Amino acid sequence: MPDISITQPHSLSQTDARAAAQKVADKLAREYGLQCKWEGDVLRFARSGVEGALTLGERQAALRIQLGFLMSAFASTIEQKVAESMRKTFTVA
């Protein structure tokens, strides 16, 4: 399966980083019909043909998405949209 890996540095507190991660998850859930759940500081998500995790670190958020065969055709578009969303979400205004 094709993989998408995005690491976004941040300077947020753990609480603010988790809130930001939840925003990213909510957007992914809306746009791609994903089911999301927290396991500690890791937000796991999945649906048919897609699975992944957003791991919160002290200074960065690391997102890894695995795409199935049919979704792999959209890998570039998905990566661009998700990277932009993470950049906006984890950057302090």
Side-chain angles (χ1 to χ4, degrees):
M1 292 196 297
D3 288 341
I4 296 172
S5 283
I6 301 167
T7 301
Q8 178 64 49
H10 70 78
S11 59
L12 303 173
S13 70
Q14 196 67 6
T15 301
D16 290 342
R18 188 178 179 103
Q22 189 63 55
K23 283 183 188 178
V24 172
D26 291 344
K27 185 171 182 158
L28 289 171
R30 276 194 312 276
E31 291 184 11
Y32 302 107
L34 299 171
Q35 299 296 318
C36 304
K37 71 175 183 174
W38 284 99
E39 294 176 1
D41 287 335
V42 178
L43 180 63
R44 300 206 182 276
F45 52 88
R47 66 159 258 189
S48 178
V50 179
E51 64 181 52
L54 176 59
T55 304
L56 295 179
E58 196 171 307
R59 299 277 182 241
Q60 70 180 13
L63 179 68
R64 183 166 179 94
I65 303 171
Q66 294 177 315
L67 301 174
F69 178 73
L70 293 176
M71 292 297 289
S72 67
F74 304 103
S76 178
T77 301
I78 292 169
E79 184 170 14
Q80 287 176 344
K81 288 178 108 177
V82 173
E84 179 67 13
S85 178
M86 285 189 60
R87 185 188 64 73
K88 286 180 179 177
T89 302
F90 285 102
T91 300
V92 178

